[in-house]
Amino acid sequence: MDGNSNAADRVDAFQSAAEAIDWIVNLVKFGIKPGLKRMERLMELLGNPERRLKFIHIAGTNGKGSVCAYLTEVLKQSDYGVGTFTSPYIEKYTDRIRWNGSNMADEDLLFTVNKLKPLVDQVAASELGQPTMFEVSTAVAIDYFAKTACVDYVVWETGLGGRLDSTNIVKSIMTVITNVGHDHMEILGNTLEAVAAEKAAIIKAGMPVVSAVDQPGLIDILAQEAKSKNCTLYLNNRNFRYEVLSSQENEQIFNFEGPFRSINQVCISMNGTHQLQNAAVALMTLELLRQYYALIIEDDVLLRAMKETRWAGRLEMVSTEPRILIDGAHNPEGGAALAQALRDTYRYDQLHFVMGMLSTKNHSGYLRHILPLVNTLIVTEPVWYKKEEATKLAELAATIAKEMNLPDIEIIAEPDWRVALELAKSRTTEKDLAVVSGTLYLIGDVRSWILYQSDSEKGW
């Protein structure tokens, strides 16, 4: 069966988007299978739709989603058709596949999945084995962007690492590597050098590379990979830089200096000093698109779009009475950025902190950044199969608090995240701040519950 068959006429076709999503999400049981053979076969069966698209491929430990958000908003406001693929999603499966900033429509998802499912079954029956949830999601996005949305550019976030990630099936026109830190090391390698090499492997021959990696040894790895593929590497603090002019809650202003020109008085609304670096990386990427691909972006549109960019679940104030801030920091580098923002940007008498993590993360490094700031730590559990037990996290937090001589922190283990959230709210007075942080699987649930009183969907 080819990709042009009338999928809706099949007896086994899904009848609703919910059915289609349920099938995809249940593929999670097949886990993570690094490698591109299944993706190559799926693309071949679909007629290689990835060859029709211009991908801006974005990897990195932290900041990928924010850079995607800046690029998407600027391209959209400049009247380009833009597809955006990110993961994991915050509330709904279709969050991850967007067209001009809006989620993929249910009818488009149903049509695309019905077309794809027999091809997935065909691959599953071969020696290649069952495609994973992430591989199927990647294929859905590519086919949708190429054949339904027909976008001008695709802002394309990696899943894990880069080299063997299913997103690496594409030949991108631009590579962005935001940074390299301690995350997914159980898969990508037990040193930062190994992680950097995995991420650098998405660099494509002859295409420019933008990065804010700042560790000298890791810069060398990126530079060697770029040189071997005849690519120019544009590095923060070497080829481009930014100067902070002012920083306050919901408004940060900086000047950008790049190799082609300077852009002054850039204002962003996203919080945390790390967002200044993310914004600068996005500006460098856009400047290269202007140079290499004659992208037309008027300066007033650029500045407006940068200011209007939002990204759910990243230093997002989801309640004002009491004040509740949510942030998807879940590794040591993310914890450091969150702690910096809590010191620099927000004012409070007491800080009541709720955290929930997956079992695969570096919790010690994260806690060492956060514990000195908190009065109450409420450790909870995301509703996800890889969750870390609240009691284990609480024991670890107590050990680290003792090591750091922080005797006044109250540490509470509450596995039910709804109870944990209510507990934090009950303690947060008018002058206090509640923060919910950790895995995005927890952040998605908390955000949906506070804003819409509903549960989020779940997936990668």
Side-chain angles (χ1 to χ4, degrees):
M1 181 179 293
D2 65 33
N4 297 316
S5 300
N6 190 346
D9 292 340
R10 293 199 332 267
V11 174
D12 63 338
F14 297 117
Q15 300 302 306
S16 68
E19 284 183 20
I21 291 168
D22 191 55
W23 170 66
I24 297 173
V25 170
N26 276 305
L27 293 174
V28 74
K29 61 179 176 283
F30 294 101
I32 299 166
K33 299 179 183 177
L36 293 173
K37 295 293 186 187
R38 289 173 301 279
M39 282 302 299
E40 288 169 356
R41 183 63 180 139
L42 276 176
M43 290 300 100
E44 184 182 327
L45 291 169
L46 284 165
N48 293 109
E50 79 282 6
R51 296 176 184 172
R52 307 182 189 185
L53 297 165
K54 296 187 184 79
F55 292 90
I56 305 160
H57 204 176
I58 301 166
T61 301
N62 296 308
K64 298 186 298 294
S66 298
V67 171
C68 287
Y70 287 119
L71 294 175
T72 297
E73 192 64 28
V74 173
L75 289 168
K76 182 188 77 171
Q77 292 204 27
S78 299
D79 294 327
Y80 289 97
V82 55
T84 311
F85 182 71
T86 54
S87 59
Y89 48 88
I90 302 297
E91 290 160 4
K92 289 171 60 67
Y93 177 83
T94 48
D95 288 351
R96 72 180 315 144
I97 304 172
R98 296 189 169 204
W99 178 10
N100 290 341
S102 297
N103 288 12
M104 182 181 188
D106 282 354
E107 58 268 26
D108 291 331
L109 176 74
L110 180 61
F111 174 79
T112 305
V113 173
N114 274 332
K115 180 168 52 169
L116 190 63
K117 185 179 186 299
L119 309 182
V120 171
D121 292 343
Q122 188 176 328
V123 175
S126 74
E127 72 283 357
L128 297 172
Q130 175 67 53
T132 67
M133 175 186 170
F134 194 75
E135 289 169 340
V136 171
S137 298
T138 304
V140 168
I142 289 172
D143 195 74
Y144 169 67
F145 292 146
K147 298 176 184 175
T148 301
C150 302
V151 299
D152 298 307
Y153 292 95
V154 180
V155 177
W156 192 241
E157 183 188 344
T158 57
L160 291 178
R163 180 173 63 95
L164 298 177
D165 189 83
S166 66
T167 63
N168 204 28
I169 193 67
V170 309
K171 300 292 188 285
S172 55
I173 62 167
M174 187 89 60
T175 302
V176 179
I177 300 174
T178 56
N179 49 44
V180 174
H182 299 79
D183 208 358
H184 302 302
M185 298 182 84
E186 75 283 2
I187 295 170
L188 303 179
N190 57 12
T191 66
L192 287 181
E193 288 76 15
V195 175
E198 288 293 312
K199 295 184 187 301
I202 71 169
I203 294 171
K204 298 299 185 293
M207 300 302 164
V209 185
V210 179
S211 183
V213 169
D214 58 2
Q215 304 98 316
L218 307 189
I219 289 172
D220 290 344
I221 290 171
L222 294 193
Q224 288 166 14
E225 185 74 14
K227 184 179 179 182
S228 73
K229 293 180 178 174
N230 294 314
C231 302
T232 303
L233 173 62
Y234 294 86
L235 204 61
N236 183 41
N237 288 327
R238 187 178 295 179
N239 309 98
F240 67 95
R241 53 191 46 82
Y242 62 94
E243 176 194 6
V244 184
L245 300 179
S246 66
S247 180
Q248 58 190 38
E249 189 172 347
N250 302 328
E251 183 184 272
Q252 301 190 83
I253 301 172
F254 67 99
N255 289 339
F256 171 86
E257 183 185 338
F260 312 119
R261 63 170 182 153
S262 298
I263 307 172
N264 295 325
Q265 298 284 320
V266 182
C267 178
I268 60 173
S269 302
M270 287 166 57
N271 290 308
T273 54
H274 57 290
Q275 287 298 352
L276 294 159
Q277 178 171 288
N278 292 333
V281 166
L283 286 176
M284 187 66 249
T285 305
L286 291 162
E287 286 290 281
L288 288 167
L289 288 170
R290 286 163 57 105
Q291 292 293 320
Y292 281 71
Y293 298 98
L295 194 77
I296 299 172
I297 302 174
E298 301 296 338
D299 282 355
D300 60 334
V301 175
L302 172 68
L303 294 173
R304 184 180 70 229
M306 292 296 289
K307 186 175 183 178
E308 292 178 359
T309 298
R310 303 287 187 275
W311 190 231
R314 277 69 170 186
L315 287 174
E316 181 183 13
M317 195 72 73
V318 289
S319 169
T320 53
E321 293 181 1
R323 288 195 303 158
I324 303 175
L325 185 74
I326 62 173
D327 188 70
H330 57 267
N331 52 42
E333 290 79 10
L338 172 56
Q340 189 73 41
L342 290 172
R343 282 192 294 268
D344 296 347
T345 306
Y346 300 94
R347 298 291 170 262
Y348 45 85
D349 286 349
Q350 293 208 326
L351 183 65
H352 308 291
F353 200 96
V354 180
M355 66 175 284
M357 292 287 193
L358 299 187
S359 59
T360 54
K361 304 301 177 181
N362 181 341
H363 306 129
S364 297
Y366 174 95
L367 283 164
R368 289 180 189 282
H369 290 297
I370 296 300
L371 285 176
L373 300 174
V374 308
N375 299 95
T376 312
L377 177 69
I378 305 170
V379 184
T380 190
E381 297 175 3
V383 183
W384 191 243
Y385 74 108
K386 289 184 179 179
K387 68 184 179 184
E388 180 63 282
E389 293 177 17
T391 50
K392 282 187 181 179
L393 269 181
E395 289 169 5
L396 177 63
T399 300
I400 292 173
K402 187 175 180 180
E403 287 175 8
M404 298 181 75
N405 195 26
L406 300 169
D408 298 329
I409 302 172
E410 183 178 4
I411 299 173
I412 301 167
E414 173 47 68
D416 186 323
W417 66 263
R418 285 188 180 85
V419 177
L421 179 62
E422 288 305 314
L423 187 57
K425 287 166 70 174
S426 71
R427 291 177 174 230
T428 305
T429 67
E430 189 178 305
K431 293 183 178 180
D432 295 347
L433 178 66
V435 175
V436 183
S437 187
T439 174
L440 287 169
Y441 298 114
L442 173 66
I443 298 305
D445 276 336
V446 170
R447 189 176 193 274
S448 291
W449 190 249
I450 291 174
L451 296 181
Y452 313 115
Q453 289 73 55
S454 66
D455 294 331
S456 69
E457 296 173 2
K458 278 291 193 298
W460 295 351

